[in-house]
Amino acid sequence: MKRALLITLLLFCGVAAFAQSVTVNDLANVANLSNAEAHNYLTLGKKFKRQYIQEIDGKPIEHLNKIGPDNKEETVVIGVGDRLPSGSMLRTVTYTTSTSQHILNLIAQAKHMGLTQKLHGSDAKNDIFFFDNDFFHIVIFLNHDNISGSVEVHQKEYLGFD
């Protein structure tokens, strides 16, 4: 009995040590938040820390970083977006990781969430996956060398009818 308990404990510890920090759902949620709310969500809940802020066209772009126990780096960029004539902002969130397994997990999550896969293609450096729904356009890049990749979540303008 003690042996089974020890094995179970070791399995959970192993899963936690190699778990990724964000999910596709997290990235989509962050795309819906203001910069301050997204910063709080990532720093308090997901344990990212601010790496630096750069200003582009008068907008602050924040780069957040997390280094895992195995020195694998994950980065999230928030603050990028386009202002619509109505005054609302369509945000883009970019997640980059140096662990290809994280990208493969995000691809599986996107498929499991019911997002429509519009394209699976390739260029000189990456395999490219396009996923889409009414609210988001998600582009996932997985390097051919299977070392790293990135995810871009683009918020779409939703036209609702009353």
Side-chain angles (χ1 to χ4, degrees), residues 100-133:
S100 63
Q101 187 60 45
H102 293 177
I103 297 298
L104 295 171
N105 291 343
L106 292 170
I107 292 168
Q109 290 170 17
K111 290 177 180 177
H112 183 68
M113 285 176 55
L115 296 171
T116 305
Q117 184 173 346
K118 297 288 187 173
L119 173 76
H120 175 198
S122 183
D123 66 7
K125 289 177 57 177
N126 301 303
D127 284 328
I128 304 168
F129 301 84
F130 288 174
F131 292 95
D132 201 47
N133 69 9

Side-chain angles (χ1 to χ4, degrees), residues 21-46 48 62 64 75-81 89-95 136 138 151-155:
S21 299
V22 295
T23 64
V24 171
N25 197 30
D26 288 332
L27 294 172
N29 288 337
V30 169
N32 285 321
L33 301 174
S34 69
N35 290 349
E37 292 169 332
H39 172 85
N40 288 340
Y41 180 83
L42 292 167
T43 56
L44 298 176
K46 299 297 177 185
F48 281 84
E62 186 172 3
L64 297 118
T75 304
V76 177
V77 178
I78 58 174
V80 178
M89 179 77 117
L90 294 180
R91 292 178 170 78
T92 299
V93 175
T94 304
Y95 168 79
F136 301 101
I138 300 173
V151 178
E152 294 176 0
V153 178
H154 302 272
Q155 191 179 26

Side-chain angles (χ1 to χ4, degrees), residues 39 49-56 60-65 73 75-78:
H39 172 85
K49 64 180 181 176
R50 179 181 292 154
Q51 188 174 18
Y52 62 93
I53 294 179
Q54 71 184 100
E55 193 165 312
I56 298 177
I61 309 299
E62 186 172 3
H63 298 255
L64 297 118
N65 191 29
E73 186 174 331
T75 304
V76 177
V77 178
I78 58 174

Side-chain angles (χ1 to χ4, degrees), residues 13 16-19 21 66-72 74:
C13 290
F18 294 104
S21 299
K66 179 176 184 176
I67 297 178
D70 54 354
N71 288 331
K72 298 295 185 179
E74 296 176 78

Side-chain angles (χ1 to χ4, degrees), residues 149-161:
S150 65
V151 178
E152 294 176 0
V153 178
H154 302 272
Q155 191 179 26
K156 291 168 115 179
E157 184 173 9
Y158 182 72
L159 301 175
F161 297 102

Side-chain angles (χ1 to χ4, degrees), residues 138-157:
I138 300 173
V139 183
I140 301 176
F141 300 96
L142 176 63
N143 287 1
H144 288 305
D145 57 11
N146 277 340
I147 293 176
S148 62
S150 65
V151 178
E152 294 176 0
V153 178
H154 302 272
Q155 191 179 26
K156 291 168 115 179
E157 184 173 9

